[in-house]
Amino acid sequence: MKIVRYEAGGVVGYGALQDDGSVRELIGSPFGDFSVGEAVADFNAVRVLPPVEPGKVIGVGLNYTKHIEEIGMNKPEFPMLFMKPNTSVIGDGDCIVLPKESKQTEYECELTVVIGKNARRVSEGEALDYVLGYTCGNDVSERTIQFPEMKMGAILVGKGFDTFCPIGPAISTGLDPSDLRLQTRLNGETRQDGSTSDLLFSVPKLVSYISDAMTLQPGDCILTGTPSGVGPIAPGDVVEIDIEGVGVLRNPVVAEG
């Protein structure tokens, strides 16, 4: 099932996206008991919202082996984590706004895990039971701020500007996250093309590891890392994140102001 969150006629709701492009009403909560009702809208006729309003957005650095080789760094011994503020979250079709401070801002295609229920100290074997599904994510990063931060042992501002976390358009349930193709297209040209089979730390490992430290709550998101091929974006660009079984997240790029 593909679950979308949308606004139509001033009303925000969840729906089930059908193959024909129609959206059927989701009766109940995607984080609890629900059923699928009648068709209520056409997907192209509604405003698509970020599929969740996460309390926490957790990013993972250096988690694809080819990307680690690409930038000439050592493989981390345990997941390299950081957090993005929820004010950075935008949805499909929303603009990535390059801040006035931007000198080298880059895209990062990422499979994004959406947590479905409270998870605390869950094992790797049971971790996927706590996942609602998966969506596309773009861990937008301003490198000239991020890299000096990292030298001080911090990662926040370079990845935390408003609009620096596009997610969507849908949450796809029932996927096996171990071998999904993911791509980035910049103005229609493929720039990243990888597979989650190249992950250093798997989705179950990440969910388990993070849940040992903090309670993961419904709607929380984990951006699982980016494959090789990251690169810069500029005003006027259009970035598309395409993940097998999920869909395409499309965002234009504009300058602040």
Side-chain angles (χ1 to χ4, degrees):
M1 177 181 293
K2 290 185 177 180
I3 300 171
V4 294
R5 182 170 162 266
Y6 66 94
E7 180 183 359
V11 177
V12 174
Y14 276 101
L17 179 62
Q18 307 299 297
D19 291 339
D20 63 1
S22 65
V23 178
R24 300 176 73 91
E25 181 184 11
L26 204 68
I27 303 169
S29 168
F31 303 106
D33 295 329
F34 67 86
S35 59
V36 177
E38 299 297 321
V40 292
D42 184 86
F43 185 68
N44 294 322
V46 300
R47 180 189 172 203
V48 183
L49 301 174
V52 288
E53 296 180 290
K56 295 188 288 296
V57 179
I58 300 168
V60 185
L62 301 181
N63 201 30
Y64 279 79
T65 59
K66 291 179 182 177
H67 178 53
I68 296 170
E69 294 168 359
E70 172 186 47
I71 60 178
M73 298 188 71
N74 296 324
K75 292 181 180 180
E77 296 181 4
F78 51 86
M80 176 183 168
L81 304 180
F82 58 91
M83 298 184 76
K84 295 174 79 86
N86 54 18
T87 48
S88 68
V89 174
I90 59 174
D92 180 62
D94 293 335
C95 291
I96 299 169
V97 180
L98 299 188
K100 296 175 181 179
E101 296 84 356
S102 175
K103 295 179 181 178
Q104 185 179 347
T105 300
E106 299 187 343
Y107 55 78
E108 291 191 11
C109 172
E110 312 217 359
L111 178 71
T112 300
V113 178
V114 179
I115 298 298
K117 56 185 178 181
N118 283 343
R120 177 73 168 115
R121 292 199 181 279
V122 301
S123 68
E124 287 186 50
E126 62 183 350
L128 295 185
D129 294 338
Y130 293 82
V131 172
L132 173 63
Y134 305 90
T135 193
C136 302
N138 188 351
D139 176 21
V140 182
S141 306
E142 209 297 320
R143 303 302 192 194
T144 62
I145 297 174
Q146 176 194 345
F147 292 156
E149 283 188 305
M150 291 175 65
K151 290 181 179 179
M152 297 189 299
I155 308 178
L156 180 60
V157 174
K159 288 178 173 284
F161 283 98
D162 288 357
T163 75
F164 270 27
C165 187
I167 57 173
I171 303 167
S172 188
T173 66
L175 292 181
D176 177 355
S178 65
D179 188 11
L180 296 174
R181 186 181 185 185
L182 64 170
Q183 299 174 290
T184 297
R185 289 187 293 273
L186 185 66
N187 303 322
E189 180 181 341
T190 300
R191 296 295 182 88
Q192 290 183 286
D193 192 348
S195 170
T196 57
S197 62
D198 191 42
L199 281 171
L200 180 62
F201 301 107
S202 68
V203 170
K205 173 64 178 179
L206 293 172
V207 173
S208 177
Y209 178 80
I210 296 167
S211 76
D212 284 345
M214 64 191 78
T215 300
L216 291 169
Q217 299 171 309
D220 285 351
C221 292
I222 304 171
L223 279 67
T224 57
T226 194
S228 61
V230 298
I233 53 177
D237 287 342
V238 175
V239 186
E240 293 177 301
I241 308 298
D242 188 344
I243 300 183
E244 179 183 359
V246 178
V248 179
L249 169 67
R250 184 180 185 275
N251 299 97
V253 182
V254 300
E256 183 178 2

